[in-house]
Amino acid sequence: MKTKATLILLVLWPPLAAFLPAAEKVDLLVSGGIVLTMDAERRVLEDGAVAVAGDRIVAVGPAAALALRYRAGRTIDARGKIVMPGLINTHNHAPMVLLRGVADDLALMDWLQKFIFPAEARNVTREFVQWGTALACAEMIRTGTTTYADMYYFEDQVAEETARSGMRGVLGETILEFPVPDNQTWQEALTYTEKFIRRWKGNPLVIPAVAPHAPYTNSEKSLKACKSLADRYGVPLIIHVSETRDEVKKILEKYGTTSTRWLDQIGILGPSVLFAHGVWLTEEDLAIVKRRGVGLAHNPESNMKLASGTAPVIRILALGIPLGLGTDGAASNNNLDMFEAMDFAAKLHKLVAMDPAVLPAASVVEMATIGGARALGMDKEIGSLEPGKRADIILVDPESVGGQPMFNVYSQLVYVLKGANVLTSIINGKVVMRDRQLVTLDERRILQKAGEYQKRIADSLK
Ligand SMILES: [Zn+2]
């Protein structure tokens, strides 16, 4: 109350400032909102503020106290808004937004072989990846994602567009054993990846990764080469594991065991590994995942839409395995809205468990923020609003007909609010969207290109 009184006096009589201890200078002060810290105590500050200097958060606390302590180059008034860590999408194939809706409601193999693979073979070029990534980044920024993990082709172009948009990305070129649009063999893809790592390692926004596709598409030889490359440069390894029953069957026939046990036997697993999906992980697989410190990316919407199955999320959380949330590529979702992913995750697991008490809203928000950061091995840098962490902050606006009244901020975020309620986004200390206006991307031009690609892709499938 003392600070509040001083603040009122200061407004009424500015010369008072001369008698106060000199305020510390910061670049940005986000002030006056409901601050959801997602720190270890899960503090929620009713009238809070976040101070940012450069790319880092320097303080999180009561708005009145921070207003006295800091003199900000720029202040964002967050009154009535939810101020929270940016969302982390732990599994994506960003450029696939251009294939959004190209074919739906089909069995996985028909969908892949009759539509996705031919559409990719005929259309995926460096330019396709450039515009696809720009469209994806625009959508992710608009819907509150500040960090995403990705694997696709021409990943160097994905990285360029990601950095240009101001987003943070953990990015890896997909390594496959058949010719893809930019590499003919897995050895070529591996060489590409090494060059890619050398180019981006140390970049504040792009974290290069090694991304072999899956245990059923990669051989022991290529997987071992991927792992040794990842270890040599100290970068993450991203791989699809146990996504479908078909995979489980194939791996059992080929190696007489599960994907996870096989990957463990050949020495691929460790704390810098991220599994996408993990739908069919057995109890023994989960014990291995836990022991090796592997992180998981849960993609409820993609798993539902492709009828892949339901990941054992309640068991995963009970075991304390790092678990993040993802959208997967837009062709199997069909959007990159993490708010929708949160809503689906919460409801899917309640239904499957036939228990509305499992996976409460707060646990889902954890999954989309600090949980995702842990899964990516980045929880020292992102995932919560705490001094010393990167300034990845979003402002969500609940002040609308569909957003009020609000009794519980976690419930509102998971069950009520949508990506469209994200108002402002700050990544690495830079404002990339202000009052729903994108700062870094030319949205009109991106939409025009998306329209051109729609025609081109439809024609290519005739
Ligand atoms: Zn995927």
Side-chain angles (χ1 to χ4, degrees):
M1 282 331 281
K2 210 169 162 186
T3 50
K4 214 166 205 169
T6 318
L7 203 64
I8 292 165
L9 275 172
L10 207 54
V11 172
L12 294 174
W13 192 53
L16 176 68
F19 302 101
L20 294 169
E24 201 178 309
K25 211 171 165 269
V26 290
D27 296 305
L28 178 68
L29 192 65
V30 180
S31 185
I34 302 165
V35 177
L36 199 68
T37 63
M38 301 312 290
D39 66 7
E41 290 86 44
R42 302 289 184 261
R43 283 186 309 147
V44 179
L45 308 169
E46 282 305 327
D47 184 14
V50 184
V52 175
D55 56 2
R56 305 264 172 192
I57 294 170
V58 291
V60 180
L66 265 60
L68 276 182
R69 213 163 104 204
Y70 296 105
R71 193 157 38 87
R74 181 177 187 181
T75 301
I76 293 179
D77 181 0
R79 275 175 297 177
K81 313 294 182 272
I82 301 162
V83 179
M84 65 181 292
L87 303 178
I88 299 171
N89 184 345
T90 51
H91 187 59
N92 199 353
H93 310 280
M96 289 187 88
V97 285
L98 289 177
L99 301 172
R100 171 187 349 251
V102 73
D104 293 313
D105 313 325
L106 293 168
L108 178 67
M109 280 303 146
D110 282 345
W111 178 74
L112 275 177
Q113 282 162 2
K114 290 186 186 152
F115 293 94
I116 298 300
F117 289 156
E120 286 187 330
R122 289 164 208 168
N123 296 285
V124 175
T125 59
R126 178 174 285 280
E127 202 210 355
F128 172 101
V129 168
Q130 176 194 339
W131 291 106
T133 307
L135 181 63
C137 288
E139 183 182 0
M140 286 190 279
I141 290 171
R142 281 205 165 284
T143 53
T145 294
T146 53
T147 294
Y148 76 110
D150 192 81
M151 56 200 282
Y152 204 59
Y153 313 115
F154 297 101
E155 201 69 24
D156 201 48
Q157 197 64 45
V158 174
E160 287 219 14
E161 291 308 313
T162 301
R164 198 194 318 276
S165 76
M167 279 198 76
R168 199 182 297 290
V170 179
L171 314 174
E173 168 81 7
T174 308
I175 297 173
L176 274 157
E177 311 232 347
F178 50 80
V180 296
D182 55 342
N183 288 298
Q184 295 305 300
T185 63
W186 68 263
Q187 289 92 340
E188 260 182 59
L190 203 72
T191 307
Y192 179 107
T193 301
E194 182 162 10
K195 237 166 86 187
F196 176 77
I197 295 170
R198 293 168 81 111
R199 174 169 178 203
W200 293 100
K201 191 142 203 285
N203 186 283
L205 292 173
V206 173
I207 296 98
V210 182
H213 179 260
Y216 64 98
T217 39
N218 290 86
S219 63
E220 179 175 341
K221 211 169 159 194
S222 75
L223 286 167
K224 281 181 167 167
C226 286
K227 173 67 172 160
S228 96
L229 181 65
D231 287 349
R232 196 152 68 243
Y233 286 94
V235 299
L237 185 142
I238 310 172
I239 182 168
H240 297 99
V241 174
S242 291
E243 179 176 2
T244 62
R245 261 187 176 145
D246 192 55
E247 172 187 339
V248 173
K249 203 168 139 254
K250 274 190 182 137
I251 295 291
L252 184 67
E253 278 166 13
K254 209 165 164 190
Y255 303 114
T257 185
T258 65
S259 290
T260 303
R261 278 188 61 184
W262 179 65
L263 290 171
D264 193 36
Q265 282 162 14
I266 64 170
I268 305 302
L269 305 186
S272 56
V273 174
L274 178 79
F275 281 6
H277 300 301
V279 170
W280 294 98
L281 294 174
T282 64
E283 198 59 31
E284 199 194 340
D285 291 340
L286 288 173
I288 294 170
V289 164
K290 165 86 182 163
R291 195 163 63 239
R292 297 293 181 207
V294 170
L296 293 175
H298 174 43
N299 304 280
E301 294 170 88
S302 170
N303 297 159
M304 289 168 82
K305 186 157 178 280
L306 296 172
S308 303
T310 314
V313 158
I314 307 305
R315 279 298 293 152
I316 292 166
L317 288 174
L319 290 165
I321 293 167
L323 179 70
L325 194 60
T327 56
D328 206 349
S332 61
N333 186 305
N334 294 354
N335 62 60
L336 305 179
D337 185 344
M338 285 287 288
F339 281 82
E340 200 180 278
M342 288 198 284
D343 194 1
F344 271 77
K347 289 170 184 163
L348 169 64
H349 296 287
K350 291 175 199 309
L351 179 69
V352 170
M354 286 302 282
D355 178 2
V358 302
L359 207 59
S363 305
V364 181
V365 175
E366 268 173 32
M367 224 192 273
T369 54
I370 190 69
R374 281 182 67 211
L376 291 170
M378 293 173 73
D379 49 318
K380 289 206 165 56
E381 287 282 70
I382 56 171
S384 61
L385 302 182
E386 293 179 82
K389 283 203 176 181
R390 301 274 188 171
D392 291 4
I393 307 162
I394 59 170
L395 272 70
V396 188
D397 187 3
E399 294 180 311
S400 59
V401 172
Q404 290 290 327
M406 178 162 72
F407 294 95
N408 178 295
V409 65
Y410 293 107
S411 289
Q412 215 78 354
L413 288 167
V414 174
Y415 301 122
V416 178
L417 300 170
K418 310 277 177 244
N421 296 106
V422 177
L423 192 65
T424 292
S425 176
I426 299 152
I427 307 176
N428 213 42
K430 295 232 158 49
V431 176
V432 295
M433 180 171 73
R434 181 72 210 262
D435 295 331
R436 297 215 48 78
Q437 291 296 313
L438 295 180
V439 176
T440 51
L441 294 163
D442 182 349
E443 199 167 357
R444 266 180 59 186
R445 178 120 171 82
I446 292 168
L447 288 174
Q448 180 205 329
K449 281 283 174 186
E452 287 171 27
Y453 273 103
Q454 188 278 328
K455 286 189 196 75
R456 211 184 291 181
I457 294 161
D459 285 347
S460 79
L461 290 171
K462 270 176 195 159

